[in-house]
Amino acid sequence: MSKRLSFGAAVLLGTSTLAATALLPTLAVAQVTTSAIRGVVQTDTGTAVPNATISLVNNDTGFARTVRTDGSGNFSIRNLSVTGSYNVEVNAPNLQGERVENVRLNLSDDTQLAFQLGSDVMDEIIVVAQRQVVADLAIGPNASFGIDTLENAPSINRNIADVIRIDPRVFVDEGRGDINSVQCVGQSSRFNSITLDGVALNDSFGLNSNGYPTERQPFPFDALEQVSVEIAPFDVKYGGFTACNINSVTKSGTNTFSGSAFVDYTDDSMRPNTVAGGQDFDFGDYDEIRYGLTLGGPIIKDKLFFFAAYDKLEGANTYPQTSITRQFISQAEIDEIASIAQNVYQYDPGTIPTSNPNFDEKFLLKLDWNVTDQHRLTGTFNYNDGNNITRSDGDTDELEFSNHLYERGAELLSYSGALFSDWTDNFSTEIRASYLDLDNRQVSVGGTDFGEFVIETPNVDVYLGSDDSRQSNDLNYDQLALSFRGNYAMGDHNILFGAEYTELNIFNLFLPHSETAIRFDSVADFRNGIASQIEYNNAPSQNPDDAAAEWGYALNTLYVQDEWAATDRLTVIAGMRYDWYSSNDVPTENPAFVADYGFSNAQNFDGVDLWQPRLGFTYDATDTLQLRGGAGRYSGGNPNVWLSNNYSSNNVDQVGARVRGAIDLFSLTYVLAEDGVPNAPGWAVPQDLANSVGTGVGRNFEINYLDPDFVIPSDWKYSLGATWTPDFNTGEDIFGGQWLFQADLLWSDSENTAIIQRGDLVQAGLVTRTGTDRQGVPYSISVPDYDSPLLDSFVLTNADESNRAFVASIGASKRWENGWSARVGYAYSDAEDVQPMTSSVAFSNYNNRAFTDPQEQILSRSNYNTKHRFTGAVSHQRDWLLKDYDTGVFAFFQAQSGQPYSRTLDGVANSIYGFTPFLGNGNGDSILLPGTTRNEFTSPTWTKVDLRISQELPGFRADDRTEVFMVIDNLTNLINSDWGILERPVFPGTLHVNQALSINQASAYEIRFGARYDF
């Protein structure tokens, strides 16, 4: 019998962050919240020992379980909590009993034990060396992070993203404040799944870039026991994603009362005013404090336990980019615009903000009940409410008055319960139920009784009033999930089967321009009331609530799998997952659409389905080398907001009207003013536009519809990898001893990729367009000549080409007996997509990219591709300064390729295409500079180091510990203001030839001081 990997290797596998490593709306239901111990019992001559007694005890909770080996000496104990450590004892008649102590489990992996019982029987049980722990059994690239890393890594944001970024395959976008979107395998964070104790906490609707339904991580950071990231798990339990699955499990109470309290603090004095040769960064005057506590313990010893965690942020949003914008507009111009708004339009626009207060509050309560030795019940309640005060139009050529900013916020309530049962030594089940309710807020700071004004100046567009996209904006949804999972062990086979049901119900009101949006070509026109454009949208009833979309669907899943221990070295896993959708809700039918297109826009996903086969293996080639691989199909993670557009933008429930030209606002008649405000521009709606909308016709934007032949998108993933744990006998301590080396190759090929196209365009031929753009760049390009014979429309459809990605990664890690540990990793990524699908609405997804032909389907480098990424971490814990009180150091290093971007012409898209279709992205133009391709260019490499330093001190009681700590984000920039600089293109990654990259606020260092008390 091979010993496979030693215990030291297993520890490295479990703790190393380099562990072995679309439109259908998919809901991530329960993934994995427990672990398992499996193994084999043999005699010291290699003969299987049937009917041996295996006794397991959790040292922290008293949970106990006893099973017997089968005829081949195999045993399996499932549904085990990852909280605490376990002792595992084996006894058999006429053989020497053995015990392994203090076994700790990993969230994503099974732990396997190998016992070899001798025939020389003694009275006492032998405690065998922990080398008996031979390996975890994860199949597919993954990374696991335990409590030591969670507590000691330099997590400036108290977010799991700060930890999982240590894996080089996981890119975290740190350039957008505290959003910290996680991007795996060159894909958007929208395609991830995030679960906590089995509850899906990913952004089920798809508005947020951080992957959460809330503004920040929706659960207390100190509540976490373990976090794992699965990139391609070839187990059928996993679904609801095509990028990666981020799975977290919270701590549980034990037989000992214990807890912690923390506080940390920062303010504007702990950030620089300038970086990179004098670049101004005005963070304003602010301070930010975070505090929280945890408490856990027994309610009934060995039976019933509780764990609670609370976390509060009293913080600030800062807008350092404003200082860059103000270099291109004078204070006199800003004052003049404010004066006109107040004196001519009777509206106070506020000030130019540099910071605003925000908050975030989290509470979690978990109960664990050991009902019997065979049944364990757990339940989790989680609450989160938080906000950010956000800029809507915050590029360097845009300036907003404070009342134009808006609150992004959300209140989340989630409940979950799970029953884990071991019915026999061979058969175990898991039954789970969860419910989540989300109330999303997007509210203009200045209220919604005044519309949006945009005033053009020579270099900057100035915004005041209520942001056009927040004038009527409300989102609520609830989600119910039920699941059943069974495991049956039959000798060398472990059969897994299960069923899941998830129901999502959505209320979505998104009605831009319901208070009007008015544009002025100059400050003089603003003073004189001469507008160049007015937009107004509403329901024909003039009641915005009548334009809301209420809809939902259910996802149903069945799966079955066989995990076969083919030999003592080879394990094969094969299974099938089947998803199908059901829904009775369809968009309101538009008769004009039916007349033009010959089919209805009232389409949904009812009855669509997908088979997802999975196959994987692990092979222990030697005692120190494990090979693994597999292939599988995955689907999900796609934003429901793309579907919701079809329900909202049907041009029946809401109607738009728009006028252009030199419009004398003071000569118009106004209606629909709210009580107590002037019946005047901004406060009310021009009579003609209100009448146009009231007819139900108006001048509508493009209708959104689902391709009736739409096929479920999916990704095929193929992986090969290896783990090598050599023990080098070099005769010295630095390079000698046991190491962990990892290498993984991953191929991902999409099928039926989801994209947005214009559904009304017909190509009449080709035409050559010549001219000069606004930067003086001459062009002569051949483009399609489109006609629009049908009702203007956007269609959600499948691409003819499909996305693809290749990722290669390698890593090494080691722990030394003197308290030092280190890990390094590198990942190479080559990801291509047809469309980046960056946005929530169809118009933005269609336009926020670079192209020559807006209808083209060409694979190009993905917006989310990070070609090269190096990461490293060094940590040390030792009582340097005070005996028995550790000094801790944890440094994280990353060097990564910059962000892909395109060079485009400036301001000529609609001249080239004659407004068929109408084109315009967030940065002015989408037409590629002739001779270039989409995302051909890359911003500079970003290199930085983060650092956490801590010192333990005595507490009030002997076993208590006080810790003081300091976290420095971007230590490199603190050392030298020209280091650690992040340069990147403005959204959506399209720059004209004279447009420079922006220096991002992540370039500026940040310091936090804090204290923690553990008892």
Side-chain angles (χ1 to χ4, degrees):
M1 171 68 184
S2 166
K3 297 293 193 303
R4 300 190 189 176
L5 304 181
S6 69
F7 174 74
V11 169
L12 287 169
L13 281 166
T15 59
S16 168
T17 58
L18 299 172
T21 55
L23 167 100
L24 190 69
T26 304
L27 303 172
V29 291
Q31 305 284 15
V32 177
T33 63
T34 61
S35 191
I37 293 177
R38 295 161 45 184
V40 63
V41 180
Q42 298 177 323
T43 67
D44 53 9
T45 61
T47 303
V49 179
N51 209 36
T53 301
I54 311 296
S55 301
L56 171 147
V57 176
N58 186 303
N59 298 316
D60 298 271
T61 66
F63 176 78
R65 180 82 172 95
T66 300
V67 300
R68 293 185 179 273
T69 57
D70 63 15
S72 301
N74 298 312
F75 67 92
S76 176
I77 308 175
R78 295 190 172 274
N79 297 328
L80 298 177
S81 170
V82 296
T83 293
S85 64
Y86 291 86
N87 290 352
V88 183
E89 183 175 307
V90 57
N91 288 281
N94 302 317
L95 294 172
Q96 176 61 53
E98 293 185 349
R99 181 169 68 246
V100 175
E101 296 182 343
N102 298 318
V103 177
R104 292 193 176 272
L105 307 184
N106 289 330
L107 174 59
S108 301
D109 311 327
D110 292 355
T111 296
Q112 184 164 321
L113 306 181
F115 291 95
Q116 294 180 326
L117 307 185
S119 57
D120 295 332
V121 181
M122 295 183 292
D123 292 336
E124 296 182 356
I125 299 295
I126 297 175
V127 179
V128 297
Q130 291 179 335
R131 60 179 175 80
Q132 297 286 64
V133 183
V134 292
D136 60 49
L137 296 178
I139 298 181
N142 70 82
S144 182
F145 307 89
I147 191 67
D148 287 345
T149 304
L150 289 168
E151 289 185 346
N152 296 307
S155 178
I156 194 76
N157 300 294
R158 292 179 57 80
N159 188 323
I160 56 176
D162 293 337
V163 177
I164 63 177
R165 64 179 177 160
I166 298 174
D167 190 297
R169 298 162 298 186
V170 179
F171 169 74
V172 176
D173 185 355
E174 300 180 49
R176 300 182 62 187
D178 58 2
I179 291 177
N180 292 300
S181 62
V182 176
Q183 299 168 11
C184 302
V185 199
Q187 293 197 57
S188 166
S189 59
R190 297 171 185 265
F191 297 96
N192 297 334
S193 168
I194 301 171
T195 54
L196 177 78
D197 286 350
V199 178
L201 289 180
N202 46 301
D203 181 13
S204 295
F205 191 70
L207 285 181
N208 294 343
S209 298
N210 61 7
Y212 299 122
T214 51
E215 289 302 287
R216 297 168 190 83
Q217 178 177 289
F219 41 88
F221 187 75
D222 287 340
L224 296 176
E225 178 78 32
Q226 287 191 25
V227 178
S228 66
V229 179
E230 287 95 8
I231 297 173
F234 298 113
D235 191 308
V236 294
K237 294 191 296 288
Y238 294 92
F241 67 95
T242 53
C244 62
N245 177 66
I246 303 169
N247 192 17
S248 301
V249 168
T250 57
K251 299 172 182 175
S252 294
T254 68
N255 278 325
T256 302
F257 284 100
S258 61
S260 65
F262 90 96
V263 61
D264 69 13
Y265 176 84
T266 189
D267 60 32
D268 55 281
S269 69
M270 301 185 204
R271 304 205 71 174
N273 295 320
T274 61
V275 298
Q279 171 68 65
D280 287 337
F281 265 164
D282 183 3
F283 289 97
D285 296 327
Y286 76 93
D287 57 62
E288 186 166 287
I289 187 171
R290 299 183 298 203
Y291 51 90
L293 56 88
T294 68
L295 180 64
I299 299 174
I300 302 174
K301 188 177 181 180
D302 292 340
K303 277 291 185 179
L304 184 61
F305 310 90
F306 78 95
F307 177 82
Y310 176 79
D311 207 324
K312 180 70 180 288
L313 161 71
E314 297 173 6
N317 292 113
T318 61
Y319 318 109
Q321 298 291 73
T322 300
S323 59
I324 300 175
T325 303
R326 295 187 68 164
Q327 298 175 24
F328 305 104
I329 183 171
S330 68
Q331 184 63 47
E333 290 176 292
I334 296 172
D335 292 342
E336 182 180 8
I337 291 171
S339 175
I340 295 170
Q342 292 168 349
N343 298 319
V344 176
Y345 296 92
Q346 293 82 53
Y347 179 73
D348 182 359
T351 61
I352 303 299
T354 55
S355 65
N356 269 305
N358 61 30
F359 80 94
D360 200 88
E361 189 171 26
K362 308 176 179 74
F363 174 72
L364 180 141
L365 175 64
K366 184 177 183 180
L367 298 177
D368 290 271
W369 180 20
N370 297 332
V371 184
T372 68
D373 287 350
Q374 287 73 41
H375 302 280
R376 183 171 65 88
L377 185 66
T378 182
T380 305
F381 167 76
N382 189 57
Y383 167 82
N384 178 221
D385 190 11
N387 76 347
N388 282 301
I389 306 301
T390 305
R391 297 178 301 169
S392 175
D393 299 279
D395 290 337
T396 53
D397 59 351
E398 298 171 323
L399 186 69
E400 297 175 273
F401 280 89
S402 56
N403 282 347
H404 188 263
L405 276 63
Y406 68 98
E407 179 200 15
R408 287 177 59 102
E411 183 181 46
L412 177 144
L413 293 168
S414 70
Y415 314 82
S416 68
L419 175 63
F420 305 99
S421 299
D422 296 303
W423 300 98
T424 69
D425 291 351
N426 298 325
F427 181 53
S428 62
T429 61
E430 173 186 331
I431 300 173
R432 181 177 297 275
S434 66
Y435 177 78
L436 180 146
D437 181 82
L438 182 88
D439 183 2
N440 180 275
R441 302 186 300 275
Q442 297 208 21
V443 182
S444 285
V445 169
T448 57
D449 53 358
F450 190 87
E452 178 183 78
F453 280 6
V454 184
I455 302 98
E456 295 185 17
T457 69
N459 298 303
V460 175
D461 288 349
V462 179
Y463 292 78
L464 57 86
S466 58
D467 176 61
D468 59 343
S469 293
R470 277 83 203 174
Q471 293 174 5
S472 294
N473 193 319
D474 188 23
L475 170 67
N476 304 282
Y477 65 78
D478 61 76
Q479 182 173 300
L480 172 69
L482 306 172
S483 68
F484 169 83
R485 182 180 299 163
N487 280 279
Y488 186 70
M490 298 189 304
D492 294 331
H493 295 267
N494 186 76
I495 307 301
L496 167 72
F497 55 93
E500 298 172 353
Y501 172 83
T502 306
E503 180 182 290
L504 180 69
N505 297 293
I506 295 171
F507 173 89
N508 179 37
L509 171 61
F510 179 63
L511 184 61
H513 313 143
S514 63
E515 297 290 335
T516 71
I518 303 176
R519 179 173 285 271
F520 302 87
D521 287 342
S522 67
V523 176
D525 284 351
F526 180 44
R527 179 182 295 279
N528 296 323
I530 304 300
S532 60
Q533 177 177 284
I534 308 175
E535 294 178 282
Y536 173 61
N537 284 42
N538 213 328
S541 65
Q542 309 292 355
N543 180 358
D545 289 341
D546 293 339
E550 294 189 69
W551 63 285
Y553 65 87
L555 168 63
N556 312 274
T557 300
L558 296 173
Y559 54 78
V560 63
Q561 175 178 281
D562 180 15
E563 186 172 344
W564 174 37
T567 71
D568 61 350
R569 291 183 177 271
L570 176 65
T571 299
V572 179
I573 184 171
M576 180 68 73
R577 182 183 179 96
Y578 176 62
D579 293 340
W580 77 98
Y581 292 78
S582 55
S583 176
N584 296 320
D585 300 323
V586 295
T588 302
E589 186 172 85
N590 185 315
F593 180 92
V594 176
D596 264 12
Y597 286 80
F599 58 87
S600 176
N601 64 296
Q603 308 283 340
N604 66 13
F605 282 125
D606 186 46
V608 296
D609 59 1
L610 184 70
W611 295 91
Q612 300 167 68
R614 310 274 173 86
L615 177 67
F617 74 92
T618 60
Y619 176 65
D620 297 323
T622 70
D623 289 352
T624 61
L625 177 64
Q626 183 184 78
L627 306 178
R628 59 184 170 274
R633 194 181 196 184
Y634 303 80
S635 183
N638 301 273
N640 285 294
V641 65
W642 297 345
L643 268 184
S644 193
N645 292 331
N646 302 325
Y647 290 83
S648 299
S649 301
N650 52 52
N651 290 350
V652 175
D653 297 327
Q654 61 174 275
V655 178
R658 179 172 58 197
V659 292
R660 289 174 172 158
I663 308 160
D664 184 354
L665 295 178
F666 302 135
S667 68
L668 302 179
T669 302
Y670 292 88
V671 296
L672 301 177
E674 297 178 15
D675 293 340
V677 303
N679 192 42
W683 300 101
V685 180
Q687 177 77 66
D688 290 346
L689 272 69
N691 291 344
S692 180
V693 167
T695 65
V697 180
R699 188 189 184 283
N700 290 318
F701 293 105
E702 299 85 356
I703 187 174
N704 288 196
Y705 73 96
L706 176 68
D707 186 340
D709 297 321
F710 188 83
V711 180
I712 301 175
S714 60
D715 275 22
W716 288 92
K717 296 190 179 189
Y718 314 91
S719 175
L720 288 174
T723 298
W724 183 39
T725 57
D727 194 338
F728 295 125
N729 184 16
T730 63
E732 46 75 47
D733 294 333
I734 297 178
F735 298 102
Q738 192 165 64
W739 286 76
L740 170 66
F741 295 95
Q742 307 263 23
D744 281 286
L745 302 175
L746 177 68
W747 294 263
S748 180
D749 290 310
S750 300
E751 189 171 308
N752 302 309
T753 297
I755 60 171
I756 298 293
Q757 293 274 273
R758 284 292 293 260
D760 56 303
L761 299 184
V762 176
Q763 185 173 338
L766 292 174
V767 62
T768 299
R769 302 293 191 191
T770 60
T772 302
D773 77 352
R774 292 188 297 195
Q775 302 301 315
V777 177
Y779 62 86
S780 178
I781 55 177
S782 178
V783 298
D785 183 18
Y786 286 116
D787 289 335
S788 177
L790 305 175
L791 189 69
D792 292 354
S793 67
F794 286 117
V795 56
L796 183 59
T797 187
N798 300 111
D800 297 328
E801 297 284 343
S802 289
N803 303 346
R804 53 161 297 277
F806 169 70
V807 177
S809 63
I810 189 168
S813 62
K814 178 175 172 56
R815 291 179 180 269
W816 287 267
E817 293 182 359
N818 61 5
W820 286 96
S821 65
R823 66 204 71 179
V824 293
Y826 166 74
Y828 169 83
S829 178
D830 179 18
E832 296 179 319
D833 56 29
V834 179
Q835 288 185 4
M837 300 292 281
T838 60
S839 304
S840 300
V841 298
F843 176 85
S844 298
N845 275 324
Y846 187 71
N847 280 275
N848 286 338
R849 57 193 173 98
F851 48 76
T852 300
D853 173 5
Q855 295 287 95
E856 71 189 20
Q857 298 185 36
I858 299 175
L859 274 178
S860 299
R861 185 185 302 171
S862 170
N863 286 32
Y864 311 102
N865 188 61
T866 303
K867 187 173 184 179
H868 302 288
R869 188 161 189 266
F870 297 87
T871 62
V874 177
S875 63
H876 184 61
Q877 293 282 128
R878 191 172 180 180
D879 54 350
W880 284 355
L881 302 178
L882 296 174
K883 183 175 176 56
D884 298 328
Y885 295 96
D886 284 346
T887 301
V889 177
F890 196 124
F892 166 71
F893 161 83
Q894 67 177 15
Q896 59 198 30
S897 300
Q899 179 180 334
Y901 68 95
S902 307
R903 287 291 183 183
T904 63
L905 297 172
D906 184 21
V908 295
N910 287 309
S911 298
I912 290 173
Y913 279 95
F915 292 94
T916 305
F918 175 75
L919 299 172
N921 72 27
N923 195 38
D925 217 333
S926 299
I927 304 299
L928 280 165
L929 192 69
T932 67
T933 59
R934 179 166 67 91
N935 289 335
E936 177 179 329
F937 305 93
T938 305
S939 60
T941 297
W942 188 36
T943 302
K944 76 160 186 168
V945 174
D946 297 339
L947 178 67
R948 186 182 192 270
I949 300 175
S950 62
Q951 176 62 56
E952 289 185 343
L953 299 169
F956 295 111
R957 300 180 302 175
D959 294 331
D960 293 357
R961 286 292 187 272
T962 302
E963 180 188 66
V964 292
F965 61 86
M966 175 180 65
V967 179
I968 305 174
D969 186 69
N970 204 347
L971 173 67
T972 32
N973 181 249
L974 176 63
I975 296 172
N976 187 316
S977 63
D978 291 329
W979 294 355
I981 301 302
L982 175 60
E983 296 181 81
R984 60 190 300 173
V986 296
F987 181 82
T990 56
L991 304 180
H992 61 66
V993 293
N994 293 320
Q995 191 170 8
L997 298 169
S998 297
I999 296 178
N1000 188 269
Q1001 70 182 55
S1003 305
Y1005 69 82
E1006 180 179 1
I1007 303 174
R1008 287 182 180 270
F1009 291 96
R1012 177 186 175 94
Y1013 191 88
D1014 291 293
F1015 57 91

